[in-house]
Amino acid sequence: MLSFLSPLWFKSESPPSHLLLTLEQRNQLEQELKNLKKENVELQQALREKTAQATAKNEDLFLELLEVVDALETLLGYLEKNPDPQPGFFQRLPKSLGAVHRKFLSVLGKRQVLPIELQEGMEPDFKLCRVVDREVRNDWREQRITKIIRRGFRLEEKILRSTEVITSKPD
């Protein structure tokens, strides 16, 4: 064992000369320690601010989603109370569901989650869509989108979900 690491070293011996610091070195170490402590406090403050911002964003999202839930609960509540709804209800139902759908897409859009725009008749872009089936269509060129089964979405440049399509094939 090294003698200068022993607790007795502090009492009975002088430290080895290669362990001694000059006043300049000591001052430099103290300044670096102060700088590190200051940086630590600044980083902790920045982390608290980022956490508060993330929490606020989540709260906004949840409040907007609750509006969608409220609209759906209203429709479901009406159906529970009126097992045989009036014919006017069914006429208004597409409009009501469309409003809920638009609200939900708006919530996604505010967060940069956007639908992938593909149309029937287009040649499929396999970075954006996935072919789930093929159908014989002699009136279409081969490998054209004949039907969109499920719409895809992207978050900025990242594809969250590919659009699912059916494409044409010759007889």
Side-chain angles (χ1 to χ4, degrees):
M1 184 165 138
L2 299 172
S3 64
F4 63 88
L5 293 178
S6 163
L8 297 176
W9 162 72
F10 293 105
K11 295 180 182 174
S12 63
E13 300 176 24
S14 296
S17 61
H18 69 280
L19 294 180
L20 294 177
L21 296 175
T22 65
L23 183 58
E24 183 181 331
Q25 289 172 323
R26 183 175 184 259
N27 290 340
Q28 185 180 1
L29 283 174
E30 285 178 352
Q31 186 60 42
E32 286 180 23
L33 184 59
K34 285 179 187 176
N35 290 343
L36 288 172
K37 286 180 179 180
K38 180 181 175 186
E39 185 179 344
N40 185 32
V41 168
E42 291 170 353
L43 287 172
Q44 287 178 350
Q45 182 179 354
L47 179 61
R48 279 192 300 274
E49 289 171 4
K50 292 282 186 190
T51 301
Q53 289 172 355
T55 300
K57 279 185 178 182
N58 282 340
E59 289 172 358
D60 289 345
L61 170 64
F62 296 145
L63 288 172
E64 289 182 72
L65 290 176
L66 288 173
E67 289 179 30
V68 174
V69 168
D70 291 342
L72 291 172
E73 284 179 346
T74 300
L75 286 171
L76 291 172
Y78 179 83
L79 287 172
E80 285 177 7
K81 292 177 184 173
N82 301 292
D84 295 319
Q86 297 176 358
F89 171 78
F90 290 111
Q91 291 173 342
R92 290 187 309 273
L93 186 59
K95 186 176 179 181
S96 297
L97 290 175
V100 173
H101 185 251
R102 283 188 302 280
K103 175 61 179 169
F104 193 70
L105 288 176
S106 168
V107 170
L108 293 174
K110 286 180 184 178
R111 283 145 188 91
Q112 306 305 313
V113 177
L114 301 171
I116 296 171
E117 299 299 331
L118 296 176
Q119 296 177 5
E120 291 181 6
M122 291 177 62
E123 190 172 333
D125 180 344
F126 296 107
K127 295 178 208 151
L128 304 176
C129 69
R130 183 171 66 94
V131 176
V132 295
D133 199 5
R134 301 208 49 207
E135 68 178 339
V136 174
R137 291 289 301 261
N138 292 321
D139 56 331
W140 291 59
R141 288 179 37 201
E142 186 173 359
Q143 274 296 36
R144 297 293 171 179
I145 297 173
T146 59
K147 188 172 184 182
I148 296 174
I149 302 299
R150 189 167 77 159
R151 188 161 38 170
F153 288 86
R154 69 171 68 216
L155 174 61
E156 295 171 5
E157 295 303 314
K158 180 175 177 28
I159 303 301
L160 295 175
R161 180 177 80 188
S162 297
T163 302
E164 294 180 356
V165 299
I166 295 176
T167 59
S168 59
K169 68 178 181 178
D171 191 11

